[in-house]
Amino acid sequence: MNATGPNWSLEETHTLVSLAKEGMPVSVISLKLKRSLAEVLTKLNDLGLAPPVES
């Protein structure tokens, strides 16, 4: 475990990318992946993806 939580599995990363590309809000992605908002936003940033806009 690191400072931002457990490492991301390949499956979690694929799910994150898929949900983000579908425009799923970060808050929903966070709930689906059981990750904090900060973890989701950090991973999206690491992957060079802009977080979907919350509606």
Side-chain angles (χ1 to χ4, degrees), residues 3-48:
T4 59
N7 291 330
W8 288 76
S9 70
L10 189 57
E11 183 179 346
E12 286 177 309
T13 302
H14 283 297
T15 302
L16 171 66
V17 170
S18 177
L19 293 173
K21 286 184 176 181
E22 290 174 18
M24 188 79 58
V26 174
S27 57
V28 175
I29 295 172
S30 172
L31 291 172
K32 285 184 176 281
L33 294 176
K34 297 182 174 120
R35 296 277 187 159
S36 70
L37 288 172
E39 287 177 300
V40 171
L41 290 169
T42 298
K43 188 64 173 178
L44 286 170
N45 186 52
D46 289 349
L47 295 170

